[in-house]
Amino acid sequence: MKALKASFFGLSAMLALTMMSCDPQQTQQLTASGLNPAKFDTIVNGDSVKLYTLKGDKGMEVCITNYGGRVVSLMVPDKNDQLVDVVLGFDNIAQYMDTQNSPTDYGSSVGRYANRINMGKFALNGDSIQLKQNDRHPGGRNHCLHGGGDTGWMNKVYKAEQVDDQTLRLTIVAEDGENGFPGTVVATTTYKIVDGNTLDITWEATTDQPTIINQTNHNYYNLSGDLEEEAGGLNQWITVNADSFTVADASYMPTGEICAVEGTTMDLRQEHAIIDGLDREFDQVKNANGGYDHNWCLNTYRLENPESEPCATLYSPKTGIFMEMFTNEPGVQVYTGNFQGIGGEENIVRKLGKHYPQYISVCLESQKYPDSPNHPEWPSPVVTPEKPYFSHAAYKFSIK
């Protein structure tokens, strides 16, 4: 989804982070993706931030920071058995924290509510709830996006426990009233490498009173390894196992209408290069700045076991890397980096000195439908003390 802008950390703090990251005495062995863990080692509001590395037995390496529960790099083998970093990101904590000059949700574990809630309002058990309105559009269409953005979970420090070489458990406590959300919530995100080359993500949460929760992972994927290719993300081949999608207005808010994908550019059921099926004159695509930024209603959700089949796939003919996505959730948001690399973002230096152009990546975000609290006819995001939150997504990598 569109990158968020937020409050600015003080210049002195940023300089201190940069100086600490450049201290040669703190230089550690680089990860397979070329990251220096020392550049992620800092303290935020008294909490320790670090870079954690998971390793699979078939070559996969996943580097994660507990700042926002963010996946910083994800290395998988290509058709030549060479490791390729398939996600976007920065190579230092300072840029992740600089939410004014390098705003991003790269790789984050989004909470408390991923995606948008209309005007930040909803009703729960007869009470009217007003959330932070951090997503602003013309005409006063100001929504709550990703739990409040700069003060949401993507910019909080999680307590980290590296269980073993393949498992990282991250825990956050959100207080009652944070960004307007009711209930004190204890939430855990567990990243795990399973079956050699599968990134497995589980979200669990408990609350002391009824609330809403809708977490997701916000990796920006480019399976080609070429992160400076013009509109390179659109050259990836995609499928989404969905017969319908939620129609959105010009502020990316669902209208409440669910439409069939049949006969439209929203039909991703048969594998094809994204660029080959993208009709930029289609009103939904025009609204989204020339790409996809929509929720698809997954067919897999209707199965007895929703995770028995992939809900979506992504493929790069260049590297042969094939990714299958599985989830228990009813929807997946597909975002094609429509606001990446424009409006000054093209000047921001990312990992390994790269400058990302527009449409360089694809996000596949498991979720409840956007604005579900205002649509009781849709799968419910309500969580209670008696009904804890559980969500799961897995991204399986192979060669095709």
Side-chain angles (χ1 to χ4, degrees):
M1 289 180 191
K2 185 178 179 180
L4 304 174
K5 290 197 173 182
S7 59
F8 179 53
F9 283 77
L11 179 60
S12 59
M14 296 306 302
L15 287 173
L17 281 167
T18 303
M19 290 173 64
M20 178 179 61
S21 299
C22 295
D23 185 346
Q25 294 183 347
Q26 293 197 27
T27 300
Q28 302 175 21
Q29 182 176 353
L30 301 184
T31 67
S33 56
L35 299 175
N36 181 357
K39 292 186 177 182
F40 291 83
D41 195 349
T42 190
I43 302 294
V44 178
N45 297 326
D47 296 319
S48 177
V49 172
K50 294 185 180 297
L51 187 73
Y52 298 85
T53 301
L54 307 181
K55 291 184 178 293
D57 58 11
K58 295 183 180 178
M60 174 184 272
E61 179 197 79
V62 185
C63 294
I64 302 164
T65 174
N66 58 318
Y67 180 76
R70 295 169 180 263
V71 174
V72 179
S73 65
L74 201 172
M75 300 286 282
V76 296
D78 68 4
K79 61 186 177 183
N80 297 316
D81 205 29
Q82 300 297 309
L83 289 177
V84 176
D85 188 356
V86 296
V87 297
L88 276 56
F90 297 115
D91 61 10
N92 62 88
I93 194 63
Q95 283 186 284
Y96 282 108
M97 293 176 61
D98 184 358
T99 53
Q100 177 170 308
N101 296 305
S102 53
T104 180
D105 43 22
Y106 288 157
S108 59
S109 185
V110 180
R112 160 179 329 194
Y113 196 94
N115 218 310
R116 292 172 172 85
I117 296 175
N118 193 10
M119 302 296 288
K121 295 180 180 179
F122 69 98
L124 183 61
N125 293 341
D127 295 328
S128 179
I129 309 295
Q130 179 63 65
L131 306 174
K132 179 181 177 180
Q133 295 172 269
N134 61 299
D135 183 43
R136 301 187 178 278
H137 298 271
R141 298 289 294 162
N142 302 327
H143 309 308
C144 181
L145 173 60
H146 289 340
D150 62 312
T151 51
W153 296 357
M154 72 170 72
N155 290 307
K156 301 283 189 180
V157 178
Y158 286 67
K159 179 181 178 181
E161 176 191 2
Q162 182 141 11
V163 178
D164 53 41
D165 288 345
Q166 290 81 43
T167 310
L168 179 67
R169 184 180 297 123
L170 302 172
T171 303
I172 194 168
V173 178
E175 300 298 332
D176 179 30
E178 179 184 89
N179 288 338
F181 290 95
T184 297
V185 168
V186 179
T188 300
T189 301
T190 302
Y191 287 105
K192 188 172 185 177
I193 296 178
V194 300
D195 300 328
N197 280 326
T198 297
L199 176 60
D200 185 277
I201 312 172
T202 301
W203 296 271
E204 299 173 275
T206 58
T207 179
D208 62 355
Q209 61 178 288
T211 188
I212 58 170
I213 301 177
N214 181 36
Q215 288 199 258
T216 195
N217 170 261
H218 217 310
N219 280 345
Y220 287 64
Y221 289 102
N222 184 310
L223 307 184
S224 76
D226 185 350
L227 298 181
E228 292 188 316
E229 178 186 9
E230 189 68 28
L234 301 182
N235 292 325
Q236 298 177 103
W237 294 35
I238 194 170
T239 70
V240 177
N241 187 355
D243 295 332
S244 58
F245 70 101
T246 51
V247 178
D249 64 21
S251 69
Y252 307 95
M253 184 57 57
T255 63
E257 184 180 9
I258 294 180
C259 279
V261 300
E262 182 74 33
T264 76
T265 190
M266 311 301 283
D267 192 347
L268 305 180
R269 292 173 295 182
Q270 299 297 318
E271 188 179 44
H272 62 271
I274 296 172
I275 190 65
D276 291 343
L278 188 60
D279 178 5
R280 287 199 165 96
E281 294 305 310
F282 188 71
D283 61 344
Q284 291 292 290
V285 173
K286 289 175 72 174
N287 284 349
N289 205 37
Y292 296 127
D293 192 358
H294 298 83
N295 170 72
W296 271 257
C297 307
L298 296 172
N299 295 334
T300 50
Y301 187 66
R302 301 195 296 264
L303 299 175
E304 183 177 355
N305 176 8
E307 298 187 81
S308 61
E309 297 180 11
C311 68
T313 67
L314 201 63
Y315 169 63
S316 169
K318 184 174 182 178
T319 60
I321 297 173
F322 181 58
M323 184 180 79
E324 298 171 277
M325 178 184 178
F326 302 82
T327 187
N328 67 327
E329 293 291 355
V332 63
Q333 185 88 6
V334 179
Y335 173 54
T336 50
N338 314 330
F339 292 91
Q340 184 79 60
I342 60 174
E345 283 200 15
E346 65 274 15
N347 298 319
I348 300 175
V349 179
R350 274 84 172 192
K351 281 187 297 185
L352 304 179
K354 301 295 184 181
H355 295 262
Y356 299 155
Q358 191 178 22
Y359 312 118
I360 192 59
S361 60
V362 174
C363 301
L364 295 171
E365 307 158 58
S366 58
Q367 62 178 7
K368 302 293 189 296
Y369 303 166
D371 199 34
S372 284
N374 292 308
H375 295 273
E377 71 278 14
W378 293 351
S380 175
V382 175
V383 179
T384 67
E386 300 76 27
K387 181 187 174 185
Y389 177 74
F390 178 85
S391 182
H392 181 255
Y395 299 83
K396 178 181 178 181
F397 294 87
S398 60
I399 298 301
K400 187 172 75 165

